[in-house]
Amino acid sequence: MFDKLAKIKERYDELTALVNDPDVIGRQNEWREYVKEQANLSETVDAYTAYMTSQEQLESAQAMLAEAGTDAEFEALLELEIEELKEKLERLETELKKLLIP
Protein backbone atom coordinates (compact mmCIF):
# COMPACT_ATOMS: atom_id res chain seq x y z
CA MET A 1 0.00 0.00 0.00
CA PHE A 2 2.72 2.47 0.94
CA ASP A 3 4.65 1.83 -2.28
CA LYS A 4 1.54 2.78 -4.22
CA LEU A 5 1.07 5.88 -2.07
CA ALA A 6 4.70 6.90 -2.63
CA LYS A 7 4.16 6.62 -6.40
CA ILE A 8 0.99 8.70 -6.16
CA LYS A 9 2.90 11.37 -4.23
CA GLU A 10 5.68 11.27 -6.81
CA ARG A 11 3.15 11.77 -9.63
CA TYR A 12 1.52 14.61 -7.68
CA ASP A 13 4.91 16.32 -7.37
CA GLU A 14 5.50 15.86 -11.12
CA LEU A 15 2.11 17.40 -11.84
CA THR A 16 2.88 20.32 -9.56
CA ALA A 17 6.01 21.03 -11.57
CA LEU A 18 4.12 20.72 -14.85
CA VAL A 19 1.27 22.97 -13.72
CA ASN A 20 3.80 25.67 -12.82
CA ASP A 21 5.84 25.30 -16.03
CA PRO A 22 5.35 28.39 -18.24
CA ASP A 23 5.59 26.25 -21.40
CA VAL A 24 2.76 24.01 -20.22
CA ILE A 25 0.66 26.95 -19.06
CA GLY A 26 0.74 28.17 -22.66
CA ARG A 27 -0.88 24.91 -23.79
CA GLN A 28 -4.20 25.40 -22.00
CA ASN A 29 -5.79 22.01 -22.82
CA GLU A 30 -2.79 20.09 -21.58
CA TRP A 31 -2.49 22.35 -18.52
CA ARG A 32 -6.18 21.78 -17.63
CA GLU A 33 -5.70 18.01 -17.78
CA TYR A 34 -2.73 18.24 -15.43
CA VAL A 35 -4.63 20.47 -13.01
CA LYS A 36 -7.58 18.06 -13.02
CA GLU A 37 -5.33 15.05 -12.37
CA GLN A 38 -3.52 16.91 -9.61
CA ALA A 39 -6.82 17.83 -7.95
CA ASN A 40 -7.91 14.18 -8.05
CA LEU A 41 -4.74 13.14 -6.23
CA SER A 42 -4.61 15.94 -3.67
CA GLU A 43 -6.81 14.34 -0.97
CA THR A 44 -4.81 11.12 -1.07
CA VAL A 45 -1.50 12.97 -1.01
CA ASP A 46 -2.62 15.13 1.92
CA ALA A 47 -3.64 12.05 3.92
CA TYR A 48 -0.39 10.26 3.02
CA THR A 49 1.67 13.30 4.06
CA ALA A 50 -0.23 13.50 7.36
CA TYR A 51 0.40 9.79 7.92
CA MET A 52 4.12 10.08 7.24
CA THR A 53 4.43 13.14 9.51
CA SER A 54 2.58 11.35 12.31
CA GLN A 55 4.79 8.30 11.86
CA GLU A 56 7.89 10.47 12.24
CA GLN A 57 6.41 12.11 15.34
CA LEU A 58 5.65 8.69 16.84
CA GLU A 59 9.20 7.49 16.24
CA SER A 60 10.57 10.66 17.80
CA ALA A 61 8.32 10.35 20.86
CA GLN A 62 9.29 6.70 21.30
CA ALA A 63 12.98 7.60 21.10
CA MET A 64 12.49 10.37 23.66
CA LEU A 65 10.66 7.94 25.95
CA ALA A 66 13.57 5.52 25.74
CA GLU A 67 15.92 8.31 26.80
CA ALA A 68 13.56 9.96 29.32
CA GLY A 69 15.35 8.67 32.37
CA THR A 70 13.64 9.07 35.71
CA ASP A 71 11.25 11.95 35.06
CA ALA A 72 7.91 10.19 35.63
CA GLU A 73 5.80 13.21 34.64
CA PHE A 74 7.63 13.60 31.32
CA GLU A 75 7.34 9.87 30.66
CA ALA A 76 3.60 10.02 31.29
CA LEU A 77 3.24 12.88 28.81
CA LEU A 78 5.25 10.99 26.22
CA GLU A 79 3.18 7.84 26.73
CA LEU A 80 -0.01 9.86 26.26
CA GLU A 81 1.38 11.42 23.08
CA ILE A 82 2.42 7.99 21.79
CA GLU A 83 -1.08 6.60 22.34
CA GLU A 84 -2.66 9.59 20.60
CA LEU A 85 -0.29 9.24 17.65
CA LYS A 86 -1.01 5.52 17.35
CA GLU A 87 -4.74 6.24 17.24
CA LYS A 88 -4.20 8.96 14.67
CA LEU A 89 -2.12 6.61 12.53
CA GLU A 90 -4.86 3.99 12.64
CA ARG A 91 -7.45 6.55 11.52
CA LEU A 92 -5.21 7.80 8.73
CA GLU A 93 -4.41 4.28 7.56
CA THR A 94 -8.13 3.50 7.35
CA GLU A 95 -8.69 6.72 5.41
CA LEU A 96 -5.83 5.91 3.04
CA LYS A 97 -7.22 2.45 2.36
CA LYS A 98 -10.57 4.01 1.46
CA LEU A 99 -8.90 6.57 -0.78
CA LEU A 100 -7.05 3.86 -2.69
CA ILE A 101 -10.26 2.05 -3.61
CA PRO A 102 -10.99 2.86 -7.26
Side-chain angles (χ1 to χ4, degrees):
M1 173 174 92
F2 290 102
D3 289 338
K4 185 173 184 176
L5 288 165
K7 288 180 182 182
I8 290 171
K9 169 105 173 62
E10 185 177 309
R11 177 62 180 161
Y12 181 86
D13 293 341
E14 289 173 14
L15 290 167
T16 299
L18 288 168
V19 165
N20 293 314
D21 184 338
D23 293 334
V24 175
I25 292 171
R27 300 186 303 269
Q28 285 295 301
N29 290 335
E30 184 179 347
W31 180 82
R32 270 192 289 277
E33 290 299 318
Y34 291 146
V35 168
K36 187 186 295 186
E37 184 180 353
Q38 183 186 35
N40 289 335
L41 298 177
S42 66
E43 186 177 5
T44 304
V45 170
D46 290 345
Y48 176 62
T49 301
Y51 182 92
M52 296 306 291
T53 299
S54 296
Q55 183 66 38
E56 290 172 6
Q57 290 171 341
L58 175 63
E59 291 169 6
S60 176
Q62 289 171 329
M64 288 173 64
L65 181 60
E67 299 171 0
T70 58
D71 188 349
E73 188 175 325
F74 185 60
E75 284 182 12
L77 287 173
L78 285 171
E79 288 171 357
L80 180 63
E81 181 179 357
I82 288 169
E83 285 306 311
E84 289 173 356
L85 286 166
K86 285 180 179 179
E87 290 172 11
K88 183 177 181 180
L89 285 168
E90 286 178 26
R91 285 192 311 273
L92 286 167
E93 188 170 343
T94 300
E95 181 182 346
L96 286 167
K97 286 177 183 177
K98 289 177 185 176
L99 289 168
L100 288 176
I101 296 171

